[in-house]
Amino acid sequence: MNDILELLQQTGRPAPNIWPGYWPTFCVDWNLPSVKNLKLEVFAGRVEVYRYNENLFDVWDEAHELGGPFSDDFLNELPSPDTAASV
C-alpha cells in the first residue's frame, strides 16, 4: 500500500479512498467522475485490479514486491495526473 501511495503522490495523481478489505488487504478507489469503475485490492505481494462494467467486471493481478516498479499496464489503469487538478 505504501508503494501505491508513494506512486500516486510522486506522479501527481489524485488521492484515493482507502478502506480495509475482506482479507488482510486494503481496498482503493476514487470518487471522481473521470475515474469510473476502477477498484484496487492490495495484498502483500500483488494488487488485484477490477474494472466494472454493466453486468460483470474484469480482474487481473499485478505482481508487486515492496519497493519494486509497477508495470505499464498497471500505470495505465490509474487515474491520470490531470484528474487531480479537477478535484
Side-chain angles (χ1 to χ4, degrees):
M1 191 66 234
N2 288 338
D3 285 353
I4 290 176
L5 292 175
E6 185 176 329
L7 170 70
L8 295 174
Q9 185 178 31
Q10 288 179 348
T11 58
R13 296 169 196 264
N17 301 311
I18 303 170
W19 69 96
Y22 176 77
W23 305 103
T25 60
F26 290 100
C27 294
V28 179
D29 72 2
W30 289 262
N31 285 339
L32 298 170
S34 59
V35 184
K36 296 181 182 176
N37 309 321
L38 174 63
K39 177 183 163 191
L40 309 177
E41 188 162 7
V42 183
F43 292 78
R46 74 181 195 281
V47 180
E48 288 185 356
V49 180
Y50 297 89
R51 272 289 180 188
Y52 294 87
N53 58 45
E54 296 81 35
N55 300 314
L56 299 170
F57 60 89
D58 295 321
V59 62
W60 59 274
D61 288 346
E62 168 77 8
H64 184 75
E65 294 183 22
L66 184 62
F70 290 98
S71 71
D72 288 341
D73 288 338
F74 182 78
L75 297 174
N76 289 333
E77 288 288 342
L78 296 177
S80 64
D82 60 349
T83 56
S86 62
V87 175

